[in-house]
Amino acid sequence: RIVCQVPAARLVALKGRAVKQCKRWGKQLWFEMNQGPSPMFHLGMTGSFHVKGKKSLKYVRLKEDDPRTWPPKFCKVEFQMSDGTCFAMSDPRRFGRISLSQDPAKQPPVSKMGFDPLIKMPTLTDFSIQLERKRRDIKATLLDQSFAAGVGNWVADEVLYQAAIHPQEMANQLSAKEVKKLHASLRKVVKKACQVNADAKKFPRSWLFHYRWGKGKTAKDSKGREIRFLTSGGRTSAFVPSLQGSRPKSGVRRASSLS
């Protein structure tokens, strides 16, 4: 049975079907069913999944829900399984999406996405070749889901911080050494975040993540270095000038880097 706050007609095809597998690519998640279409989920900025009676992962700035409360607050859809398990998706800011797809991996949006750093990280050679084609800021490049699926704003900043690269550096002008550091940093940050189940309290204390949220002049990283903020890729970027440089080495950005 399906209880939802989106048009039920979109999900009626799932009634009586069995979930074979749960899959993900980038920020797109879906259930592979025994037949018929697959329900696809995108959590947006504040969406989350819940299983009745179980503690749920929550966006770092949201108050944690009481697992005894059901359905969860801001519930958008609830699936009731034959064994009594209840699964729900909630989304306070309503940026999340629920859709149906006959073949998620081969249809948009997944088919138009780039590599997934956790599932299928490209070799250093392939990664370098892809960057050479990007005539835009490296921060904007990392946020481009057609380049790296699943990379969000804080992840991109963390990757650049650990690779010691300015967020406005041109992607196609990075040195071979910088590309190698970026490749290793991207794989490392994503892998670690997933290993600890996205529990921010378990992220290494040396990570920029713990210090980037205050935008005042007193914001400093774990070593006491000043954190500054700028806009890159249409998003606020946190960076440490003494580590990443106060400005990109590639100089004034070309117009194409802003596209």
Side-chain angles (χ1 to χ4, degrees):
R1 192 163 70 91
I2 300 170
V3 179
C4 63
Q5 292 179 327
V6 295
R10 296 171 56 191
L11 301 176
V12 69
L14 302 176
K15 287 186 177 182
R17 308 302 187 201
V19 178
K20 293 174 60 180
Q21 296 184 62
C22 297
K23 295 189 173 183
R24 180 195 64 79
W25 193 267
K27 298 179 182 180
Q28 299 290 333
L29 306 97
W30 65 92
F31 294 160
E32 185 178 286
M33 312 300 286
N34 64 332
Q35 58 179 301
S38 296
M40 294 189 68
F41 309 90
H42 187 294
L43 296 177
M45 292 182 66
T46 59
S48 58
F49 292 137
H50 309 259
V51 175
K52 188 175 182 180
K54 304 291 185 180
K55 185 177 179 179
S56 303
L57 292 174
K58 294 293 293 183
Y59 180 61
V60 68
R61 291 189 172 184
L62 293 181
K63 183 179 179 181
E64 188 173 304
D65 289 336
D66 185 340
R68 297 170 296 181
T69 301
W70 197 264
K73 194 174 182 181
F74 306 112
C75 180
K76 303 306 175 190
V77 63
E78 177 189 348
F79 295 93
Q80 298 177 355
M81 312 301 183
S82 59
D83 65 355
T85 299
C86 294
F87 171 88
M89 173 184 168
S90 67
D91 184 18
R93 297 183 66 181
R94 305 184 70 177
F95 292 146
R97 297 187 294 276
I98 305 171
S99 60
L100 295 177
S101 175
Q102 293 295 332
D103 193 348
K106 296 182 179 180
Q107 294 178 340
V110 177
S111 63
K112 293 185 177 182
M113 291 182 174
F115 64 87
D116 185 298
L118 184 67
I119 299 173
K120 196 173 183 179
M121 184 71 184
T123 65
L124 177 58
T125 298
D126 289 342
F127 184 70
S128 179
I129 291 172
Q130 291 186 48
L131 283 176
E132 289 174 358
R133 301 171 182 157
K134 300 296 181 180
R135 299 180 62 189
R136 60 192 312 188
D137 297 354
I138 186 57
K139 172 67 181 288
T141 298
L142 290 175
L143 292 178
D144 182 356
Q145 298 300 291
S146 69
F147 174 73
V151 175
N153 195 48
W154 79 259
V155 171
D157 282 352
E158 189 68 48
V159 167
L160 293 171
Y161 171 75
Q162 295 193 25
I165 297 173
H166 192 283
Q168 292 183 326
E169 202 69 66
M170 293 290 290
N172 66 344
Q173 294 184 21
L174 296 176
S175 68
K177 183 178 179 180
E178 288 173 324
V179 171
K180 185 176 181 179
K181 290 172 65 177
L182 183 66
H183 182 264
S185 177
L186 178 56
R187 182 168 49 190
K188 174 185 173 184
V189 169
V190 172
K191 184 177 181 180
K192 182 61 178 180
C194 292
Q195 280 180 342
V196 300
N197 214 20
D199 186 342
K201 296 188 294 294
K202 296 180 181 179
F203 291 168
R205 295 308 302 176
S206 60
W207 279 21
L208 180 67
F209 176 91
H210 297 291
Y211 313 95
R212 57 166 289 132
W213 306 108
K215 293 186 180 180
K217 293 181 179 180
T218 59
K220 299 182 184 299
D221 71 357
S222 64
K223 295 184 178 181
R225 297 173 295 196
E226 180 188 12
I227 300 173
R228 292 184 187 174
F229 302 87
L230 52 79
T231 299
S232 185
R235 302 292 301 277
T236 297
S237 298
F239 74 109
V240 175
S242 62
L243 174 68
Q244 299 165 261
S246 58
R247 57 178 58 86
K249 297 188 299 296
S250 50
V252 179
R253 292 175 291 161
R254 290 167 287 189
S256 59
S257 70
L258 301 176
S259 60

